Amino acid sequence: MKTLSKMKQGEEGVVTSVNGDVRYMSRITSIGITPGCRVRIIKNDKNRPIIVYTRDTMIALNEKECSNIEVQEGSYND
């Protein structure tokens, strides 16, 4: 497993856990990133927001936010 921030463009997986304070957890879960959801990295350039595709939506997250989301790598279409 690795964090969302360590994944490269085109990599896919399933969220296994989301860690953080109450405010962070509320924000992340309200935009649809929860354990069990599938994610695909659209763009992960250095010093830029990470663009994630999940639940038919593209979401921009900063690296710190992504470092609290653990992902099991695997095909998006499993």
Side-chain angles (χ1 to χ4, degrees), residues 13-18 32-39 54-55 69-72:
V14 176
V15 174
T16 57
S17 68
V18 180
I33 298 178
T34 58
C37 76
R38 297 178 181 275
V39 294
T54 185
R55 301 183 191 262
I69 301 169
E70 291 185 0
V71 177
Q72 175 69 48

Side-chain angles (χ1 to χ4, degrees), residues 43-51 59-63 66:
K43 197 165 203 169
N44 187 356
D45 294 333
K46 189 175 184 179
N47 299 323
R48 298 283 179 152
I50 298 169
I51 309 297
I59 301 167
L61 299 168
N62 68 41
E63 187 174 345
C66 290

Side-chain angles (χ1 to χ4, degrees), residues 4-52:
L4 203 57
S5 62
K6 301 294 183 195
M7 295 178 72
K8 298 186 183 333
Q9 183 172 328
E11 289 187 323
E12 304 169 347
V14 176
V15 174
T16 57
S17 68
V18 180
N19 305 301
D21 62 21
V22 174
R23 184 170 182 235
Y24 171 79
M25 294 291 292
S26 176
R27 177 180 162 351
I28 292 300
T29 57
S30 71
I31 59 176
I33 298 178
T34 58
C37 76
R38 297 178 181 275
V39 294
R40 179 184 303 141
I41 302 300
I42 302 300
K43 197 165 203 169
N44 187 356
D45 294 333
K46 189 175 184 179
N47 299 323
R48 298 283 179 152
I50 298 169
I51 309 297
V52 178

